[in-house]
C-alpha cells in the first residue's frame, strides 16, 4: 500500500544500455545525493505524499467499516480508523498516537526517507542479478514474505538499492509506475487489536522522475515544481511499506501458508473492489525477460525485496564493490577508480541449463535468464521450512551480452 496511483502512459525508449559496475555506482551516488538535497523542504513532494497517504488510508478505512470489526462487542468509537492507521503507518514504524491528518503522516514519512538517504549503504545490482531476483519474485506467495528473518536474511540494516533500469509496474488500479530504486531500514512495527510491537523493515519505493512513464499530468507537475524553484528529486518517493521481520510464519505448514496468502488476496481485492482480478496459482518456476510487471495484489515490492535479500543470503548473488573499468590503450585517460562506498550485487555462477540435451549445439549471440525454481527446504536443526531457489538457469555463451526484452547489456559480472 502507499504506491502513487498516477494515470500514466508508457513512453518507449529505444536507446541501448551498457551497464558497468563503475558507471552504475557513479550514477547511484549522484541520484542519492541529488534526491536527498531536493527533498529537503520540498512542498511539492509533501503534497503528493499526503495525497497518496490519504487515498490509501481512505481505502483501508472503508474496508474495515464493512469488516467484522463492526460486530465486535464493546468496540470503542472510531476503532476502524485506529486500525487503519495501524495497518498503514504502524506497520511502517510510526508509534501511536496516530497523526491527526494525512499531511502530518506524510511529513513523518518524508523525515524517514531523509534519514534513510543520510544513513543508507548504496547498492547497485547488475542486470543479470536483477533478472534472477525478478524471476525469483514471480514464484513467491504473499505468506512467503512473512518467513523473513531480518537479522539472518538482510546483510545491511539500512540500504538504498538502485536498479539497472526502471521496472514498469501495473498497479492494482491499472495505473503505471516506473520503479527505479528501493530503500529499507529496520523499524519496530506498532499494531493494535491486540496491541503489540514486532521487528520490522520499512521499505520505500522510488519512481524515476525522468523514466519511461511520462503522462501529460506528470510532465506538468515536474515543470511546475522546477519553475517554482523546488524541482522534484530524480528518485521520487512513490510509496512506503512495512514488512514483518521476525520469521513469524517460518514454522507454518504449506497449507497454512496457502490459506494466509488467500486472505491477503481477499483483503487486496476488497481494497480496490476489483472483482475482475481472479486468483491465478503461483508457479514454483519463475522467469524474467523484461516487460511490465502485473501487481494486482500490491505486493510486488515485498516479494522483490524478500527475493533480493534471500538470494544474497543463499549465495545465488554475491556482494562486492565497484571495480575500475579498463580504458582503451593509448587513450591517455587513467582508469576510473572504484567507489569503495558502493556495494555491487552480481550474479554468482549460474546453474547449467538442465533442459539442453547433451551434445546439442546451438549458436547463440546473446545470453538471457531462463528460470528460477522455488523450493521450501526443511532444516531439522531449526525445525523450520526455508524458501530457497535453484538456479538461475541462463541460456547463451558466457561471453555474450545479456539480453532482456529488446535491450542488450554488457555486464561486468
Amino acid at each position: 500500500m502507499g504506491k502513487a496511483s498516477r494515470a500514466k502512459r508508457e513512453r518507449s525508449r529505444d536507446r541501448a544500455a551498457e551497464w558497468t559496475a563503475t558507471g552504475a555506482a557513479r550514477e547511484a551516488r549522484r541520484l542519492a545525493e541529488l534526491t536527498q538535497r531536493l527533498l529537503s523542504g520540498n512542498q511539492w513532494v509533501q503534497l503528493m505524499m499526503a495525497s497518496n497517504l490519504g487515498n490509501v488510508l481512505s481505502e483501508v478505512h472503508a474496508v474495515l467499516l464493512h469488516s467484522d470489526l463492526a460486530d465486535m462487542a464493546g468496540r470503542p468509537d472510531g476503532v476502524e480508523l485506529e486500525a487503519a492507521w495501524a495497518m498503514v503507518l504502524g506497520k511502517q514504524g510510526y508509534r501511536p498516537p496516530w497523526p491527526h491528518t494525512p499531511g502530518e503522516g506524510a511529513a513523518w514519512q518524508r523525515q524517514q526517507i531523509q534519514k534513510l538517504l543520510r544513513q543508507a549503504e548504496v547498492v547497485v545490482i547488475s542486470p543479470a542479478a536483477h533478472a534472477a531476483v525478478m524471476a525469483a519474485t514471480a514464484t513467491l506467495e504473499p505468506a512467503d514474505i512473512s518467513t523473513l528473518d531480518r537479522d539472518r536474511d538482510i546483510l545491511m540494516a539500512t540500504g538504498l538499492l538502485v536498479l539497472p533500469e526502471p521496472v514498469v509496474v501495473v498497479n492494482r488500479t491499472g495505473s503505471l509506475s516506473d520503479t527505479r530504486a528501493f530503500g529499507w531500514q529496520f523499524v519496530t512495527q506498532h499494531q493494535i487489536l491486540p496491541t503489540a510491537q514486532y521487528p520490522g523493515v520499512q521499505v520505500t519505493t522510488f519512481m524515476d522522475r525522468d523514466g519511461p512513464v511520462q503522462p501529460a499530468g506528470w510532465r506538468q507537475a515536474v515543470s511546475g515544481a522546477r519553475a517554482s524553484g523546488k524541482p522534484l528529486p530524480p528518485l521520487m518517493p512513490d510509496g512506503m511499506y512495512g514488512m514483518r521481520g521476525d520469521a513469524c510464519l517460518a514454522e507454518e505448514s504449506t497449507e497454512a501458508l496457502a490459506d494466509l496468502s488467500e486472505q491477503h488476496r481477499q483483503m487486496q481485492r476488497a481494497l480496490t473492489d476489483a472483482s475482475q482480478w481472479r486468483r491465478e496459482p503461483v508457479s514454483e518456476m519463475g522467469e524474467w525477460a523484461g516487460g511490465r510487471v502485473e501487481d494486482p495484489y500490491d505486493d510486488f515490492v515485498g516479494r522483490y525485496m524478500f527475493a533480493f535479500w534471500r538470494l544474497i543470503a543463499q549465495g545465488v548473488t554475491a556482494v562486492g564493490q565497484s571495480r575500475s573499468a579498463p580504458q582503451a590503450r593509448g587513450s591517455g585517460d587513467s582508469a576510473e577508480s572504484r567507489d569503495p562506498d558502493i556495494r555491487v550485487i552480481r550474479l554468482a555462477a549460474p546453474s547449467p541449463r538442465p533442459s539442453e540435451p547433451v551434445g546439442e549445439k546451438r549458436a547463440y549471440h546473446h545470453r538471457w535468464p531462463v528460470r528460477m525454481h522455488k523450493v521450501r527446504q526443511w532444516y531439522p536443526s531449526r525445525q523450520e521450512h526455508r524458501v530457497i531457489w535453484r538456479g538461475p538457469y541462463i541460456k547463451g555463451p558466457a561471453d555474450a551480452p545479456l539480453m532482456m526484452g529488446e535491450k542488450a547489456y554488457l555486464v561486468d559480472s
Side-chain angles (χ1 to χ4, degrees), residues 17-33:
E18 227 177 71
W19 189 94
T20 66
T22 303
R26 183 172 57 248
E27 176 65 4
R29 175 65 65 193
R30 184 191 71 83
L31 291 173
E33 292 177 349

Side-chain angles (χ1 to χ4, degrees), residues 22 183 187 335 382:
T22 303
V187 296
R382 295 182 178 271

